Amino acid sequence: MDIKPGQASPEGARDRSAARRLWPVVRTGLAWGGAVLYPGVTYVTFDQGQNGFQLPMVLASLALTVVVASLLRRRPLPALVFLLLGAVAATMEMRKTEVSYLQTLAGVCAVGYLAATRPRRTSVSAGLMAFTAQALALFSFPPDGYCAPGMSGPAGGGCATSGWASNNGETVAFIAVALIAAWLVGRSSRERRAHAEALRSQATARAVTAERLRIARELHDMIAHSIGVIAIQAGVGSRVIETQPAEARNALTTIEATSRETLAGLRRTLVALRKPEQEAGADQAADSGDLAPREPTPGLAGLDRLVASALDAGVRVEVRGAGGCGPLPADIDLAAFRILQEALTNVVRHAGTETCRVSVERRAAELSIEVEDGGRGGLPAGTGFGLVGMRERVALLHGRFTAGPRPEGGFRVTALLPVPEEGP
């Protein structure tokens, strides 16, 4: 097989792939090999430190300490065993109070880390292991100035400190308190992270639910109205196609216009849903002509279209006050349009009347919307989610919504949407 210049051969690619798969195994083996050597290297480092520490041995001991500490993430208890063995080896060879403090510090830090990152059972086991190792090291290899019962002090004299058992008892109590404090701090950190993660998950779930409901409302309000008009016009066209061809043609024209408007709305919704992806490849989409046209968001300015659609479906709408509303915030303008759209759709589909009244009034701090008809005075059972969607829209804007039969007959929908006052 011919290989072009600069092109890797299949054998070379396979070798690199095998090397990549083998490297984690080699790295793990080297890390655990360093952990096995760690207690011995630490012992030699502190043995030579009796006459002055040597920099190469100190650096080697520190490097291996880091290696063993890194293993706490994957195999915490075995790594802790090697870490404690190294600390005990240092205490055994150099019996100084400072070394005992370093041993205690190593165990405390390890227990705190495991309490913050591991389950309770593992962290408690780590705390018991650290306490046992440190207490045994203290009693077996006491620092200078302490001596066990029956042992002579320095220079053959008595114990430098009286009450050996009492002093060591205090040290053991200090070790226990330090380990417990580290465990509690680590455990508290773990619980805070778990609580924060739960809050993030709940917030994400609420955001997903809210977005799903928003999309459902948009699709329902946009499609239900159009499908209602199409269904009515299709019925009219089928009944008069033989006797009134012109009327059937008008019905088909209305169906075509309504379908195009619905498709444009669906395209606009899909563009909004794919907006991040679209922005990432906006230039390419614009060049290929795949970018959907950006039409203005529906608002009260489109009320005339709703009135015309209702008229095409056989319902004459009397509108009052819509022209004096002035500019509105985008969310309120859209909600008002969708509420009117859904209310008129219900009139067309369920009221059984030829007229209805729409009132839109801008007040000081709210927008009042009212749709009423003189029809049957109710909605059939199981008519869908129209009223639910309108109620949700109003609730999201902290408004008030009522819908129900009128005492004098017919049905009334009322929505009061708060409008923020304009600044000076």
Side-chain angles (χ1 to χ4, degrees):
M1 180 179 61
D2 295 335
I3 300 176
K4 298 180 180 179
Q7 180 180 0
S9 65
E11 292 79 4
R14 284 195 295 269
D15 292 341
R16 286 193 297 273
S17 177
R20 285 195 296 269
R21 290 195 300 269
L22 185 61
W23 169 239
V25 178
V26 174
R27 183 177 57 190
T28 302
L30 291 175
W32 284 109
V36 172
L37 294 176
Y38 174 65
V41 172
T42 304
Y43 180 86
V44 173
T45 300
F46 281 86
D47 179 55
Q48 295 179 352
Q50 300 285 354
N51 300 319
F53 287 99
Q54 299 181 9
L55 183 60
M57 294 302 300
V58 172
L59 293 178
S61 182
L62 290 175
L64 290 177
T65 301
V66 173
V67 170
V68 176
S70 68
L71 293 173
L72 289 171
R73 295 183 301 173
R74 287 173 287 181
R75 299 294 299 275
L77 296 183
L80 181 61
V81 169
F82 287 108
L83 190 65
L84 293 174
L85 285 176
V88 171
T91 304
M92 178 176 64
E93 183 55 31
M94 184 174 286
R95 303 184 185 182
K96 293 184 178 295
T97 305
E98 294 82 358
V99 178
S100 298
Y101 287 156
L102 287 176
Q103 177 198 13
T104 303
L105 180 62
V108 166
C109 292
V111 170
Y113 170 77
L114 294 180
T117 58
R118 292 289 175 169
R120 184 190 301 270
R121 181 176 180 179
T122 301
S123 60
V124 169
S125 300
L128 293 176
M129 289 170 55
F131 176 77
T132 301
Q134 293 174 0
L136 290 177
L138 177 65
F139 279 92
S140 301
F141 313 106
D144 292 341
Y146 292 87
C147 53
M151 296 175 57
S152 61
C159 285
T161 304
S162 59
W164 177 89
S166 175
N167 289 330
N168 282 275
E170 294 176 359
T171 305
V172 170
F174 169 76
I175 293 173
V177 170
L179 289 172
I180 291 174
W183 188 89
L184 290 176
V185 171
R187 190 67 189 177
S188 176
S189 174
R190 177 181 174 87
E191 290 176 352
R192 284 198 302 270
R193 289 200 311 274
H195 181 65
E197 181 62 29
L199 291 179
R200 284 194 296 271
S201 299
Q202 292 174 4
T204 301
R206 286 195 297 269
V208 170
T209 301
E211 182 66 10
R212 188 174 68 246
L213 291 175
R214 186 189 70 81
I215 295 171
R217 285 193 299 270
E218 285 295 316
L219 292 177
H220 177 274
D221 294 348
M222 177 175 54
I223 295 176
H225 175 78
S226 302
I227 295 300
V229 172
I230 291 172
I232 292 174
Q233 292 296 324
V236 171
S238 65
R239 286 193 296 270
V240 301
I241 191 169
E242 298 291 343
T243 59
Q244 303 179 43
E247 187 67 24
R249 187 178 300 107
N250 291 335
L252 291 176
T253 301
T254 301
I255 290 174
E256 180 183 9
T258 304
S259 301
R260 291 183 182 278
E261 181 181 351
T262 304
L263 287 175
L266 285 174
R267 187 178 298 111
R268 186 167 56 246
T269 301
L270 293 177
V271 167
L273 292 176
R274 298 172 63 90
K275 188 174 181 180
E277 182 178 331
Q278 171 188 311
E279 289 177 349
D283 294 337
Q284 180 180 357
D287 293 339
S288 62
D290 293 335
L291 192 60
R294 291 182 177 271
E295 298 184 3
T297 303
L300 288 179
L303 180 57
D304 292 341
R305 289 191 292 112
L306 297 180
V307 172
S309 296
L311 184 61
D312 290 338
V315 177
R316 183 172 55 84
V317 181
E318 178 187 347
V319 180
R320 293 179 295 181
C325 293
L328 294 169
D331 54 348
I332 296 177
D333 201 18
L334 174 62
F337 178 85
R338 293 305 189 195
I339 291 170
L340 289 170
Q341 184 181 48
E342 179 59 28
L344 290 177
T345 299
N346 287 339
V347 172
V348 169
R349 298 177 62 184
H350 307 297
T353 182
E354 296 181 355
T355 62
C356 74
R357 291 173 296 280
V358 170
S359 174
V360 182
E361 182 181 357
R362 172 77 177 270
R363 299 172 184 170
E366 66 181 6
L367 180 70
S368 173
I369 300 171
E370 185 176 274
V371 179
E372 58 183 8
D373 63 74
R376 299 189 180 96
L379 297 178
T383 51
F385 302 98
L387 292 179
V388 174
M390 287 189 283
R391 195 180 304 277
E392 288 177 350
R393 286 184 183 277
V394 175
L396 287 174
L397 295 173
H398 307 288
R400 290 170 289 171
F401 178 82
T402 58
R406 302 164 59 206
E408 61 272 27
F411 198 82
R412 178 187 290 116
V413 172
T414 303
L416 296 176
L417 304 178
V419 179
E421 296 183 2
E422 297 182 359

